[in-house]
Amino acid sequence: MNSSVTSIKLVLLGEAAVGKSSIVLRFVSNDFSENKEPTIGAAFLTQRVNIGEQTVKFEIWDTAGQERFASLAPMYYRNAQAALVVYDITKPQSFIKARHWVKELHEQASKGIVIALVGNKLDMIENGGERKVAKEEAEKLAEEEGLLFFETSAKSGENVNEVFLGIGEKIPIKKPGEQANEQSGLRITDDQRVDLTNSVNGPVRSAGCNC
Amino acid sequence: MDLDESYVDDRRERANEPLYIPPIAAEPTTSINLAQTLFQPSEFDESLEDQLAQSISSCDRRHPLVSTEIPNVFPHRYDKNFLILTSAGKPIYAMKDGDGTIAYMGVIHTIMNYFKLKEDQDLRCIENGDVRFAFLDREPIVLVAYSARGETSNELFSQLDFLHSYLLSSLSERQLSKIFSKRQNFDLRNFLESTDFENLDEICSLLCERLYPDALLGALRSLSMKKSHRAQLHEAMSQQLTKEKDLPRGTLLYGLIVAPENKLCSVLRPKGHTLHTTDLHLLFCLIFHRFQNLDDSQELWVPICFPKFNANGFLYGYIKFLPKCNSILVLISAQKDAFFNLKSFADHLIKDISSNGLLEEIHKAKGFKISDIPAPLVHHFIYKSKKHVQYVMPELELHSDTEPEQLIELERKFMTYYQQIHNSVVRDDGLAFNKSCLNFIRWDSDAIEPSEEPIAMLGLGWITPKFELYLICNNGVDDKHVIFESAKRIISWCRKHESRLFVNEGAIF
């Protein structure tokens, strides 16, 4: 039995048709479908994963990439603890859009938000397609802005779980000080959320120590 | 297209000379009143006996292909198109031949403006022989329909209004006027998304190709299910609403369960409020086209403008695919951050109705067949209850290996019959000729080859203040007395089973 389940609120942002829904579908259902219909509005999904000893419940907002819905985005990232900013490595325009999203998140989202920059459609390169966004360029952005960085393929599944695990490990699950409280039965809820404002400055210990 | 003989009734059309019945034949050849109908002697001749035998065998489940008996008397390819342009004359959308029709947009724009300036009134309709143009000016959008199908102007106007409503549902009136007040010559195509064009295509195809009487009748199709099950469903909805303490009053505006094929299953609504049928048609279209591939792991939060409710603002729809029954739960709120409130309501409701088996009951509700009703010689019908603003019709009985093209062919044929029957009892402005009105309509044609049956199709349209009935008979039936009796039986059957066929009040709060 899990002593506690921690929820991580996560939002996906990025230009239309870069594969946001496909990444989520791969992560949640380990599935892929060609020609997926564009998302309208936003879709909400959940997935539980074990990271070390800890069960983490991802509450995922998969937003529509279409420009018309962009004004609704703050509603989804406002309280998010993590964001996936997705671009298509064969479409330079989508990387420009990704830069904009990173900037907006740093300005508008909650302070300690963990952002992962994700270049999707790696399979297209492997099948002879042309890469238009250099890995170095994305790595540079990630370094400057303090982002996690991954290149993935939702189609083959490559690196997709790693993105979520990476986020799960980076988000401080709990402070050691809270452990004692929890063990004595206080403040344990099935749906406990990570309090970012407290934990950012506190000692960070990724994964484990849930004895 | 190589079609299987058994499904196609237009064998003649594939001969060198396509069968073409001039539209005049489609107009009512007989218009009789009730008294005449009642006392018409029924001649029980041999051909009728044959028909009767055929009709009986058609009720037999081993021969479900009743549809093959209904010939297609309409020309194969109708010329029809919808065009949408801006008031400045810029093209937005064309149902077909997009590139070719762009050239006409300027001409249309000029003609419309000529009437505005010279005659000081809007151009509404042009008729030339069988062809009709209808114009709908909804500044800053102009919509044009072109049809050789014999629809009334009113029907074309309502189709155009439906397309216009779609644009509003996606953009809202406020956003549209904002865009065009800045720049009159704005190219709206740059603002619409690929999904908008796909949705417009789908709506046009529903209006022109499918058996979709929803728009023609201004009614919703309802799911037939046991009265007690529907009552339990509504009870569960009401109960959940009173239990949900965290749901602030006014958060939930409207709740719906929609079964496959856009059939309304149940409704949760505030007292004294209903949503406009057009708004629900739009919502159902969106569900039907966009969310059919949902699995029950996702929940959607979709902004949608209901143009007849409030063309200037957006409402938000919580949409969830219900496990075990292929249906969709929709909860509507005016608050854009109400998702988690509605989600909690939905989670509890779904838990409740799946634990007591109601979800399976929705899944099991399979509609009815024409053979369930003792109405001899009737092939298919549509019954609309005006009080409920809903209609029902028997399920089309299809062979399991029916190809999609054959289905479309069949649906279009049915729809054309129904359009013509409907148009025989309404005036050009869409109102019935009389408060109550009954009309038989007949399509005749000799067999081209001696081995084939001649076409003698009879239809009936019957409008009263309480209901509308449109029915198609089996081919060769000409006994109006029998048909009238069958029509009466259908009506009393529908009335008897009213609470099973229609969603009455719904759950009211």
Side-chain angles (χ1 to χ4, degrees), chain B residues 343-395:
Chain B
K343 175 180 162 54
S344 143
F345 176 85
D347 287 346
H348 292 128
L349 177 68
I350 292 167
K351 203 175 154 198
D352 192 19
I353 59 178
S354 64
S355 66
N356 61 12
L358 280 173
L359 281 182
E360 275 100 341
E361 293 301 335
I362 298 176
H363 187 60
K364 274 194 248 161
K366 282 279 178 267
F368 59 92
K369 298 199 177 83
I370 184 72
S371 48
D372 294 341
I373 303 156
L377 306 186
V378 174
H379 183 75
H380 194 263
F381 70 88
I382 299 176
Y383 177 90
K384 171 186 167 184
S385 168
K386 288 193 171 171
K387 179 174 81 179
H388 300 97
V389 207
Q390 290 160 31
Y391 75 90
V392 286
M393 59 184 179
E395 301 295 322

Side-chain angles (χ1 to χ4, degrees), chain B residues 101-311:
Chain B
T101 45
I102 282 177
Y104 297 113
M105 303 251 182
V107 180
I108 292 166
H109 182 237
T110 312
I111 296 173
M112 290 184 75
N113 279 317
Y114 174 85
F115 274 86
K116 259 191 193 161
L117 295 171
K118 280 279 186 191
E119 309 288 333
D120 199 26
Q121 59 186 9
D122 288 342
L123 174 62
R124 288 173 56 80
C125 203
I126 299 175
E127 277 180 67
N128 179 17
D130 308 332
V131 179
R132 196 180 283 237
F133 289 88
F135 302 83
L136 188 65
D137 188 357
R138 293 274 166 84
E139 178 87 34
I141 306 283
V142 170
L143 304 101
V144 183
Y146 161 86
S147 175
R149 262 196 196 190
E151 289 130 310
T152 60
S153 328
N154 185 67
E155 196 180 341
L156 292 175
F157 288 137
S158 72
Q159 292 175 359
L160 292 177
D161 179 68
F162 196 29
L163 292 174
H164 181 247
S165 299
Y166 171 74
L167 286 179
L168 293 182
S169 79
S170 183
L171 298 171
S172 87
E173 180 98 58
R174 178 185 294 166
Q175 201 164 18
L176 260 184
S177 19
K178 208 167 109 188
I179 292 168
F180 283 96
S181 65
K182 277 186 204 151
R183 275 175 57 196
Q184 271 198 328
N185 63 348
F186 186 79
D187 189 343
L188 197 65
R189 281 177 301 183
N190 296 333
F191 197 74
L192 294 172
E193 305 280 358
S194 59
T195 44
D196 289 315
F197 294 106
E198 284 164 25
N199 286 337
L200 284 170
D201 281 344
E202 290 291 346
I203 291 174
C204 286
S205 132
L206 268 184
L207 291 174
C208 303
E209 309 278 322
R210 311 308 295 255
L211 180 53
Y212 182 75
D214 302 52
L216 179 67
L217 303 177
L220 298 168
R221 189 170 181 194
S222 47
L223 178 77
S224 316
M225 72 187 294
K226 257 189 166 174
K227 183 185 176 183
S228 57
H229 291 144
R230 187 150 17 228
Q232 282 173 40
L233 212 50
H234 285 141
E235 181 60 24
M237 286 172 134
S238 298
Q239 287 275 328
Q240 196 50 52
L241 199 62
T242 47
K243 264 194 257 170
E244 207 72 23
K245 293 190 187 68
D246 294 338
L247 195 69
R249 220 178 141 69
T251 307
L252 179 62
L253 289 183
Y254 215 77
L256 298 158
I257 294 177
V258 189
E261 297 178 284
N262 286 350
K263 290 183 195 163
L264 181 67
C265 172
S266 49
V267 176
L268 173 69
R269 64 183 177 89
K271 196 166 192 270
H273 285 278
T274 50
L275 279 178
H276 194 282
T277 315
T278 302
D279 290 340
L280 290 174
H281 285 157
L282 287 166
L283 177 70
F284 287 14
C285 281
L286 199 68
I287 290 172
F288 186 64
H289 300 144
R290 288 280 138 207
F291 310 132
Q292 280 297 303
N293 302 327
L294 270 185
D295 59 70
D296 53 20
S297 70
Q298 352 180 4
E299 292 149 278
L300 297 179
W301 189 236
V302 178
I304 180 171
C305 168
F306 286 116
K308 308 288 176 190
F309 174 77
N310 174 11

Side-chain angles (χ1 to χ4, degrees), chain B residues 364-491:
Chain B
K364 274 194 248 161
K366 282 279 178 267
F368 59 92
K369 298 199 177 83
I370 184 72
S371 48
D372 294 341
I373 303 156
L377 306 186
V378 174
H379 183 75
H380 194 263
F381 70 88
I382 299 176
Y383 177 90
K384 171 186 167 184
S385 168
K386 288 193 171 171
K387 179 174 81 179
H388 300 97
V389 207
Q390 290 160 31
Y391 75 90
V392 286
M393 59 184 179
E395 301 295 322
L396 293 180
E397 294 177 43
L398 299 167
H399 222 266
S400 55
D401 56 356
T402 307
E403 298 287 333
E405 302 89 51
Q406 292 170 334
L407 178 64
I408 289 183
E409 197 77 11
L410 185 73
E411 290 194 18
R412 185 168 48 203
K413 181 174 69 186
F414 270 84
M415 194 59 211
T416 318
Y417 273 115
Y418 282 123
Q419 276 173 323
Q420 301 213 354
I421 295 169
H422 179 260
N423 293 350
S424 77
V425 284
V426 298
R427 298 190 310 222
D428 196 51
D429 62 3
L431 297 172
F433 283 114
N434 247 322
K435 241 196 247 167
S436 292
C437 177
L438 183 140
N439 187 37
F440 283 96
I441 173 169
R442 191 179 177 92
W443 298 265
D444 278 307
S445 165
D446 289 334
I448 291 170
E449 287 175 33
S451 59
E452 291 172 345
E453 275 179 68
I455 295 172
M457 287 293 298
L458 196 62
L460 166 73
W462 190 356
I463 293 184
T464 75
K466 288 197 170 140
F467 66 84
E468 291 173 19
L469 175 72
Y470 307 94
L471 67 80
I472 304 172
C473 304
N474 289 327
N475 190 22
V477 176
D478 60 358
D479 191 325
K480 296 200 181 80
H481 182 71
V482 175
I483 294 309
F484 184 64
E485 287 303 320
S486 287
K488 288 200 289 189
R489 284 188 185 174
I490 291 172
I491 289 155

